[in-house]
Amino acid sequence: MRTDIAQPIRLSDYRPPAYSIETTALSFNLEPSATRVKATLAIVGVGDEPGPLVLDGVRLKLISIAIDGRALGADEYVVSGETLTVPAVPAAFTLETEVEIDPLGNTALEGLYMSGGRFCTQCEAEGFRKITYFLDRPDALSRFTVRVEADAAYRHLLSNGNLLQSGVLPDGRHFAVWNDPFPKPCYLFALAAGELDVLEDSRVTMSGRTVALKIFVDPGQSARAAYAMDSLKRAMAWDEEVFGREYDLDLFMIVAVRDFNFGAMENKGLNIFNSSLLLADGATATDVDYERIEGVVAHEYFHNWTGDRITCRDWFQLCLKEGLTVFRDQEFSGDMRGRAVQRIKDVKSLRARQFSEDAGPLAHPVRPSSYMKIDNFYTATIYEKGAEIIRVLKALIGDAAFKAGMDLYFDRWDGHATTVEAFIQCFAESSGRDLTRFFAWYEQAGTPQLDLASVYDEAAGTVAITLRQTTAPTPGQPDKQPLPITVRLGLLDEDGRPQGDEQLIVLEGAEQTLTLPARARPVISALRGFSAPVALTTDAPEKDAYVLLASDPDLFNRWEAGQTLARDLILKRAAGTPDEVGEERYAEAVGRALDDQAADEAFKALLLTLPSEGDLAQAVAPVDPAAIHEARDALRARLAVHLEAALYRLHTGLHDQGAFSPDAVGAGRRALRNAVLELLAAEPTADVFARAEGHFNGANNMTEAMGGLNALSLLGGAPFEAALTAFYEKWKHEPLVIDKWFSVQGRSPAEDVLGRVMALTAHLAFDPKNPNRLRALVQAFTSGNPARFHDPSGAGYRFLADQILMTDGFNPMTASRLIEPLGAWRRYRPELGVQMLAALQRIAAHPGLSKNVGELAAKAIGDAGPAATT
């Protein structure tokens, strides 16, 4: 039994720092296993009696410590496992420390570590304390000057801000000095050093300043950074045009690294990126990779104002920078790639990741009130639901008031660390509205259930629409209050013609009824554009969904109608009551949608894709993954048979041997062609096998190659094995491509896939210490292959527990992110749930468990408690 129970950190206990670090001068003498870091901190006490100086520091070897030039004796300071305390200090003083750290041995990838023979950093959220002693908290802002010295083999020496000086030193070493004139918390500190190629460009800002742009990558890879550079320049222009925000330094840099726990990091002036989100060409990257690069490059750049210039007061305010910046990058992507298609993709991601989070034991508010490890709160709730709340706010107060509120926020809080309350106050002032009740969106966990009922009065020519909201209890929050929910709503007639103008309804309380004119029984199109992050149910007859699928001018709701029809049909079959007539009618409706010449290919690809098994599992309880898988496959097969001629025609007609272009039009064509092939693979005829092999072998870009390989994985057999072998031989020297090779095998529907996955963990190319590679295989199986992961034997659960415990030994942050598939054990069939719980209990009982994994395992177990022992 574990007795070392860690205590949570609570928002209610927040106190401002007792000391301010006015300036920070760091000097790095880089060596892989014994880097020396000298820190000179100008510190001022805050208030009359600030008390002892307590600095954060973990895994640091203290070499020396001095105040105002005087070395401290051993009895004048105390070093613990996590802090350095100096009991007596002057009101203002200079603290000098020197520590030694081991970047090569830092497998947790936090602080300063080695990746591919290069030095790099990751300091958010609490990594800087692994570099030197400091006030490692986001409200401790300081101006940094950094000197980096290393062997000349590390050709580029990079840090935040502008380069002040560089030069050659004796004994084959060199140095560089960087200064960031803007105050920042230490989590935004960055350093990178190594042999790197650089892609250079520049951009003139709206005020006429020329900013140098540099992207540093592995040698020989600079051409693959071209799309990232293009995305960066477009993001800079968009932020000036839409938000009036101009870049503020003379230089903007990005560095790609192979080993990274996150996707990317917005360090001021020196972004550090996971190479998977920076490098792309048509031969090695898919269209999805290009879209993610475009979005993430924009996201990290947008952080310059929403995260760097204005940061969060404490980590409870994480959504202040992340939710707002996700909203900004989604708006950017919508403008770049088409708003309707992008909105559908964003909502698909929200429902897959955040709705499931809200429905389980790991549910938490967008602004949480306590945590054990803040690393565990980099979640879909903070990021994606946080963005949706901003979207609701904008709809609630209107575009003009929203823009004025953003301008006020930038003006008022530039250069400060602030709170969600201060952010919302700016919009209260700009709109003249009382937003007190709106703030509940930040404090209340759970996805609201919105029910819509209607009564048509033919004699009066009106329809009465009643909206009701409820939110189910979540851990620690049994009672819920109504939220202000924005509902975009339109009326059609049964022929799909509009009846009146679109309405914006704001549901303020638990229930509201409104009456609208209607010349005929209306087909109600509600929650257009997914105007609030809620789960909608209506009393509309099934036939209305077919009207919406065919005619709704809101493309999101057209897609939503198709998804609703497919979901209901699949769940009926999974429950043992198939509606074969309904399945045929649905197939006919999809066929008509494919013939719609006005719809673009990207939208048709989304229409053709059925709800995922994960989405379907959220709509039913108890969850039977095998029944859902079989029922979904059955509807796929019916569509394939019913639409066979149209699908063959599309697959042939969409084939394009021209030069690859990552633009939205080309990506839409390839997405539709791949979706068509995936659907055809539901009926494994000889012709389908031949088409899949031809698709794979004839591909001139990675998007189509992966489309063919995915289809072959669904078909299985010798053609799939041959394709896997050919793919590996061709790309075995390309790490990012081999990640895809691992993933497609983890998602294979073959009954023996777990044996394949376990064998792949021993493959020469599998390195569990590389987060990309670990996620590519393990998460592809545990999160992307629910029918096989939830095998009744429980072998999938035992495999995942093994992987979590192994990974926790060297990278707790990555290990903790593997727990999620076990968390919803209560919602599954009892014979599955009990085994999922046993896996969690085994994890929780493991000696030496990290705080990261321990916190999430305990939450997932909940009131079930530890496993019984004898």
Side-chain angles (χ1 to χ4, degrees):
M1 179 182 294
R2 299 185 64 197
T3 57
D4 54 333
I5 305 301
Q7 296 301 308
I9 297 170
R10 302 184 188 281
L11 173 59
S12 59
D13 294 335
Y14 170 82
R15 300 293 183 273
Y19 290 88
S20 170
I21 303 177
E22 303 295 299
T23 61
T24 298
L26 302 176
S27 179
F28 288 82
N29 191 325
L30 296 178
E31 296 289 350
S33 298
T35 288
R36 291 289 182 98
V37 184
K38 294 180 180 179
T40 302
L41 313 179
I43 301 178
V44 177
V46 178
D48 296 333
E49 296 182 7
L53 174 69
V54 181
L55 301 179
D56 301 295
V58 177
R59 296 179 63 185
L60 305 176
K61 179 181 177 182
L62 183 62
I63 305 300
S64 65
I65 178 171
I67 288 182
D68 293 335
R70 182 182 70 83
L72 299 188
D75 60 344
E76 294 181 278
Y77 63 92
V78 178
V79 175
S80 71
E82 297 186 352
T83 59
L84 166 66
T85 301
V86 185
V89 295
F93 58 97
T94 298
L95 177 72
E96 298 171 275
T97 61
E98 182 176 7
V99 300
E100 184 176 285
I101 56 178
D102 178 10
L104 187 61
N106 182 1
T107 59
L109 311 185
E110 297 175 274
L112 179 66
Y113 64 94
M114 303 290 291
S115 173
R118 302 166 189 87
F119 292 90
C120 61
T121 56
Q122 172 53 37
C123 294
E124 188 176 357
E126 296 176 336
F128 193 77
R129 64 189 62 190
K130 294 184 176 181
I131 295 175
T132 190
Y133 289 105
F134 206 79
L135 291 175
D136 193 357
R137 48 188 291 169
D139 58 352
L141 278 63
S142 184
R143 287 181 169 84
F144 282 68
T145 300
V146 179
R147 184 182 187 275
V148 184
E149 177 185 326
D151 189 282
Y154 300 102
R155 182 159 58 101
H156 293 285
L157 307 177
L158 310 174
S159 192
N160 309 82
N162 297 317
L163 180 64
L164 296 184
Q165 185 182 5
S166 63
V168 177
L169 297 169
D171 301 322
R173 297 179 72 77
H174 67 145
F175 76 96
V177 179
W178 296 84
N179 173 258
D180 184 354
F182 295 94
K184 65 173 180 283
C186 64
Y187 82 84
L188 291 172
F189 169 78
L191 180 153
E195 176 61 29
L196 299 161
D197 280 359
V198 58
L199 178 66
E200 300 189 59
D201 205 332
S202 64
R203 184 179 180 278
V204 178
T205 69
M206 62 184 183
S207 68
R209 294 173 48 251
T210 298
V211 177
L213 309 175
K214 298 183 179 183
I215 300 180
F216 296 86
V217 298
D218 284 349
Q221 299 290 304
S222 59
R224 293 185 184 177
Y227 191 75
M229 181 67 81
D230 177 66
S231 299
L232 173 61
K233 295 174 73 174
R234 285 185 284 117
M236 295 176 79
W238 186 91
D239 211 19
E240 290 178 351
E241 178 182 349
V242 177
F243 283 90
R245 298 300 105 191
E246 180 178 347
Y247 187 64
D248 45 17
L249 294 169
D250 300 329
L251 174 64
F252 186 89
M253 299 178 288
I254 301 175
V255 176
V257 300
R258 300 176 190 174
D259 306 287
F260 205 64
N261 285 332
F262 290 90
M265 179 60 208
E266 70 267 19
N267 317 295
K268 180 71 177 180
L270 178 58
N271 288 186
I272 307 287
F273 266 62
N274 189 317
S275 57
S276 68
L277 291 170
L278 199 70
L279 303 177
D281 60 24
T284 60
T286 65
D287 289 319
V288 172
D289 295 328
Y290 275 96
E291 290 177 20
R292 293 179 68 211
I293 288 168
E294 181 177 76
V296 175
V297 166
H299 179 95
E300 304 306 332
Y301 173 75
F302 296 154
H303 265 312
N304 186 60
W305 277 93
T306 51
D308 295 1
R309 290 281 289 261
I310 306 174
T311 192
C312 43
R313 186 197 71 179
D314 52 72
W315 289 121
F316 298 100
Q317 320 296 328
L318 181 59
C319 63
L320 179 63
K321 72 184 188 78
E322 295 301 347
L324 177 56
T325 306
V326 169
F327 168 77
R328 277 154 50 75
D329 82 55
Q330 289 177 348
E331 291 290 289
F332 167 78
S333 294
D335 284 344
M336 296 299 108
R337 293 189 169 267
R339 285 198 162 264
V341 167
Q342 189 61 42
R343 187 65 181 138
I344 292 168
K345 291 178 179 179
D346 290 340
V347 174
K348 279 169 63 73
S349 175
L350 177 80
R351 287 173 171 167
R353 300 175 64 236
Q354 197 281 319
F355 275 26
S356 61
E357 195 168 83
D358 251 350
L362 303 182
H364 57 273
V366 173
R367 210 267 299 269
S369 59
S370 68
Y371 62 80
M372 301 290 289
K373 283 291 291 182
I374 187 56
D375 301 336
N376 289 335
F377 281 87
Y378 285 78
T379 63
T381 296
I382 302 295
Y383 281 65
E384 296 178 45
K385 187 174 180 179
E388 293 300 320
I389 292 173
I390 302 294
R391 191 167 280 105
V392 170
L393 174 65
K394 184 179 182 184
L396 185 66
I397 66 175
D399 292 353
F402 181 79
K403 184 180 187 306
M406 286 300 307
D407 290 342
L408 178 59
Y409 176 66
F410 290 132
D411 291 343
R412 180 175 292 172
W413 293 107
D414 185 16
H416 294 84
T418 190
T419 64
V420 178
E421 285 91 344
F423 174 71
I424 295 300
Q425 179 59 31
C426 292
F427 298 97
E429 294 179 27
S430 69
S431 66
R433 297 183 65 133
D434 181 355
L435 296 176
T436 303
R437 294 186 61 198
F438 178 82
F439 201 79
W441 274 110
Y442 286 99
E443 296 185 312
Q444 185 165 285
T447 301
Q449 175 71 46
L450 180 64
D451 299 314
L452 184 153
S454 64
V455 177
Y456 176 57
D457 186 334
E458 185 176 7
T462 61
V463 60
I465 298 174
T466 298
L467 298 169
R468 299 182 184 89
Q469 64 165 301
T470 56
T471 303
T474 56
Q477 291 187 338
D479 301 314
K480 303 294 185 176
Q481 59 180 300
L483 302 171
I485 296 176
T486 48
V487 182
R488 284 177 50 205
L489 185 145
L491 304 181
L492 308 177
D493 64 22
E494 293 183 343
D495 293 321
R497 294 185 297 259
Q499 298 195 65
D501 297 330
E502 181 177 279
Q503 306 283 322
L504 177 65
I505 311 301
V506 180
L507 175 60
E508 297 278 6
E511 181 176 324
Q512 180 178 330
T513 299
L514 64 148
T515 301
L516 298 176
R519 63 177 181 269
R521 189 195 74 82
V523 174
I524 300 173
S525 172
L527 209 67
R528 282 181 165 175
F530 198 69
S531 53
V534 302
L536 174 67
T537 60
T538 79
D539 64 351
E542 182 184 83
K543 64 179 181 178
D544 284 9
Y546 284 101
V547 175
L548 297 175
L549 173 59
S551 305
D552 199 325
D554 184 86
L555 290 182
F556 178 87
N557 272 17
R558 284 189 67 188
W559 170 81
E560 181 83 309
Q563 293 289 291
T564 300
L565 288 165
R567 179 199 66 203
D568 292 347
L569 290 167
I570 293 169
L571 293 180
K572 285 178 182 177
R573 181 173 285 274
T577 56
D579 179 3
E580 297 192 359
V581 173
E583 291 175 357
E584 282 295 313
R585 184 182 181 189
Y586 173 72
E588 291 172 3
V590 171
R592 288 192 294 272
L594 289 177
D595 289 337
D596 184 354
Q597 299 302 309
D600 65 28
E601 279 86 358
F603 179 69
K604 290 180 181 179
L606 292 166
L607 279 179
L608 203 57
T609 304
L610 297 177
S612 71
E613 292 174 33
D615 291 338
L616 293 162
Q618 292 183 45
V620 64
V623 181
D624 184 340
I628 288 174
H629 176 75
E630 291 173 7
R632 186 178 184 274
D633 272 1
L635 186 58
R636 285 180 59 237
R638 187 173 296 274
L639 288 171
V641 171
H642 189 97
L643 302 174
E644 182 181 52
L647 295 176
Y648 279 163
R649 185 172 63 252
L650 276 170
H651 187 258
T652 300
L654 290 167
H655 187 45
D656 184 3
Q657 286 292 340
F660 173 85
S661 172
D663 63 85
V665 173
R669 288 176 61 86
R670 289 183 291 273
L672 181 55
R673 189 165 190 258
N674 282 349
V676 165
L677 183 63
E678 180 178 334
L679 199 55
L680 286 170
E683 278 293 295
T685 65
D687 190 33
V688 170
F689 269 100
R691 278 184 178 269
E693 290 179 281
H695 190 114
F696 174 75
N697 293 324
N700 68 349
N701 58 78
M702 185 54 66
T703 302
E704 295 217 324
M706 287 306 301
L709 193 58
N710 283 327
L712 288 168
S713 78
L714 297 173
L715 294 165
F720 177 47
E721 300 302 330
L724 283 173
T725 300
F727 190 91
Y728 184 81
E729 286 302 312
K730 182 176 183 178
W731 299 112
K732 60 186 176 183
H733 299 301
E734 294 283 352
L736 297 180
V737 179
I738 294 303
D739 286 341
K740 303 178 194 303
W741 181 79
F742 278 101
S743 288
V744 75
Q745 295 180 80
R747 294 192 304 270
S748 165
E751 292 185 2
D752 61 350
V753 65
L754 177 55
R756 179 192 289 269
V757 168
M758 293 178 72
L760 285 169
T761 63
H763 193 281
L764 183 65
F766 184 76
D767 178 7
K769 293 187 177 180
N770 177 271
N772 287 351
R773 189 58 46 86
L774 183 72
R775 289 188 287 257
L777 180 62
V778 175
Q779 282 192 326
F781 172 67
T782 60
S783 296
N785 199 346
R788 301 303 174 226
F789 172 62
H790 292 285
D791 184 86
S793 70
Y797 311 144
R798 293 189 292 275
F799 167 76
L800 179 54
D802 289 343
Q803 294 299 312
I804 290 169
L805 292 174
M806 177 195 70
T807 307
D808 194 44
F810 54 82
N811 191 333
M813 188 184 299
T814 295
S816 66
R817 295 181 178 190
L818 298 175
I819 287 178
E820 187 271 335
L822 296 170
W825 60 270
R826 289 176 177 83
R827 297 192 64 250
Y828 283 76
R829 291 178 58 178
E831 62 270 29
L832 299 177
V834 69
Q835 295 186 81
M836 297 166 74
L837 174 60
L840 286 166
Q841 290 169 329
R842 176 184 155 216
I843 293 167
H846 191 75
L849 199 65
S850 70
K851 289 182 181 178
N852 301 67
V853 173
E855 178 181 20
L856 293 189
K859 285 185 175 181
I861 291 168
D863 57 12
T869 58
T870 57

